[in-house]
Amino acid sequence: MKLSSSSVNAILGATAVSLVLGGAALAQSAVPRGQVMSLEEALRLEQQNRLRNQFPDERATQPAPQPRKRAAPAPKPKPQPKPKRQKPRRDDNITVRPAPAAPQRATDAPRRIEVPDRTIRDALPANETSQGRANNAPSGAGARITAAEIDAATFTGAGLPKGLSPLTAKVQILLDRSNTSPGIIDGFKGGMSNSAIREFERLHNMKQDGILDQAVWDALGGSDAGSLMTTYRIVEADTQGLTPGLPRDYAKLAKLDAMGYERVSERLAERFHMGEEFLKRLNPGARFVAGEELTVVAPGKKAEGSVARIAIDKRSQRLKAYDSAGNIISDYPVTIGSTSTPSPSGSYDVTAVAVDPNYTYNPKNFKQGDNEKILILPPGPNGPVGSTWIDLSRPSYGIHGTPRPDLLFTTQSHGCVRMTNWDAEELAAMVHKGTFVEFIE
């Protein structure tokens, strides 16, 4: 609204009326006659005149009133290219929930735990079987090995030999007993065994090259180890609760009560930390029926203690569990995420532990076969996350088991941390809500 000079002067105080702006009364302003300006301009002019009268030495610094200019229109923002739509991760839909009858270590464990890990079986050829090849064991190899050969094996100065070897089996068992897990014990030299030797060297302040030498052999107590093998008689319970011939189709799996072991040999191999094929090599002709006596590895006692901190080294693919004093309780091989679906960075906490978690499939994130409905797969050691889930404070991420322990060092996960079922179970028994978890780049 524009006002004439007479109107402005009348408002500003030609009579006893005064305007108050910010608590200060403004005196009458001498506005040139005939000039038209807005009330806002008139008030600004009056304030400047008042400043001139109060601070005469600073008059030169006071800017003269300028006629108001119409603001130039703001330039139109340049159109931004639409961001590319990110493809949903195939596994963001998959959830894990504790099985109804499974015990919970954390009383306030979340009812649903998002898991970004893909079904391991879907990445395998149809004829793939759960045979131990994590340490480069050739599938279907017919070579045999005996308990006597393993117990008698000794270091000859040449490192671990290629192929199936009693010496390699013996070193793997000794590493397992030292709480430096080699993953599966299968008698073949490979990535997990090398990583375990390297970690053992680090713990004993040796040169870290992952190669068996005299110093490593002596520290393992190889020459004085005694018998590392034992016998086990199959009982009726070992033959029960199996789910042979697990289908690959999720709709069919969802109709089952459990995704248990498919074979007695698979169950016993995991119990004794062995590759299933290695167990069969030790027991040629075994039928794996109740009453039958088998030769098996005698693994060491389970690690015990309270884990205060977990360090997951992405380079070495090893998980270290520390107590509150900073001492290593145990060390395990793990599978971590790939470059496209990496494991988290930074630090988190353990929030819950679920034993025998089930697995929820949602076709919104990825489609398996012709399945277009949400499906809940039952729990069991052959489920996508194995027998154990350790939930982290980073949503959708956790540490868990796997139905394929032989593939730990030959595949990558989609963000989560995979362990053998027996290693995951051992670790889960030692962690608690609030255990610190750190990912090391």
Side-chain angles (χ1 to χ4, degrees), residues 93 250 359-363 366-368 371 373-375:
N93 64 301
Y250 280 9
Y359 188 82
T360 303
Y361 161 77
N362 190 327
F366 83 94
K367 189 176 179 182
Q368 194 265 352
N371 296 308
K373 296 181 180 180
I374 294 176
L375 300 169

Side-chain angles (χ1 to χ4, degrees), residues 28-304:
Q28 179 179 352
S29 175
V31 180
R33 293 183 178 277
Q35 183 173 336
V36 178
M37 63 177 63
S38 68
L39 176 59
E40 179 183 1
E41 290 172 334
L43 293 175
R44 187 184 305 114
L45 177 61
E46 173 58 26
Q47 187 177 26
Q48 291 170 349
N49 289 336
R50 178 171 169 269
L51 290 172
R52 291 192 184 98
N53 294 332
Q54 290 181 346
F55 306 102
D57 294 337
E58 300 182 7
R59 288 178 185 176
T61 65
Q62 302 299 325
Q66 299 292 329
R68 187 175 63 177
K69 296 181 179 180
R70 179 177 294 179
K76 294 182 178 180
K78 295 181 179 180
Q80 298 294 326
K82 293 183 178 181
K84 294 182 179 180
R85 185 176 181 181
Q86 297 292 330
K87 292 183 178 180
R89 290 172 60 181
R90 283 181 51 186
D91 318 314
D92 291 343
N93 64 301
I94 301 171
T95 60
V96 163
R97 290 179 293 181
Q104 291 286 319
R105 288 180 54 81
T107 56
D108 54 350
R111 295 182 62 189
R112 294 177 66 90
I113 303 175
E114 296 292 333
V115 177
D117 221 32
R118 290 178 185 154
T119 301
I120 299 170
R121 291 180 175 275
D122 286 346
L124 303 175
N127 61 350
E128 193 73 80
T129 58
S130 300
Q131 305 284 318
R133 285 191 306 285
N135 287 311
N136 298 335
S139 178
R144 295 182 180 180
I145 190 171
T146 67
E149 290 173 335
I150 295 173
D151 286 338
T154 186
F155 177 67
T156 60
L160 294 177
K162 295 181 179 180
L164 180 65
S165 163
L167 177 61
T168 301
K170 187 169 187 174
V171 169
Q172 290 172 342
I173 298 169
L174 292 173
L175 287 167
D176 185 87
R177 289 186 171 195
S178 72
N179 291 330
T180 306
S181 173
I184 65 170
I185 298 168
D186 61 3
F188 284 88
K189 173 185 176 181
M192 283 199 286
S193 293
N194 292 344
S195 74
I197 292 174
R198 185 178 293 106
E199 180 58 26
F200 185 85
E201 291 170 329
R202 188 186 72 82
L203 292 173
H204 291 79
N205 298 316
M206 301 176 183
K207 178 184 176 181
Q208 299 172 41
D209 55 13
I211 299 175
L212 177 65
D213 55 24
Q214 191 64 50
V216 172
W217 177 255
D218 292 341
L220 284 170
S223 299
D224 305 315
S227 179
L228 301 176
M229 309 299 291
T230 188
T231 57
Y232 176 77
R233 187 177 299 276
I234 300 175
V235 298
E236 193 65 36
D238 296 328
T239 66
Q240 298 175 350
L242 301 176
T243 52
L246 284 172
R248 299 173 64 84
D249 184 76
Y250 280 9
K252 295 179 180 178
L253 287 172
K255 296 178 181 179
L256 302 177
D257 295 328
M259 296 179 67
Y261 292 113
E262 296 187 76
R263 300 166 297 279
V264 173
S265 57
E266 182 188 20
R267 168 180 276 160
L268 296 181
E270 289 209 0
R271 183 181 301 173
F272 296 104
H273 305 184
M274 305 164 65
E276 186 178 2
E277 188 170 315
F278 182 65
L279 174 63
K280 292 179 179 179
R281 294 177 191 276
L282 282 168
N283 300 276
R287 296 179 296 131
F288 296 98
V289 295
E292 190 173 28
E293 191 172 88
L294 303 175
T295 298
V296 296
V297 166
K301 295 180 179 180
K302 286 188 176 182
E304 297 180 347

Side-chain angles (χ1 to χ4, degrees), residues 342-356:
S343 294
S345 297
S347 303
Y348 306 92
D349 295 323
V350 170
T351 60
V353 170
V355 178
D356 279 340

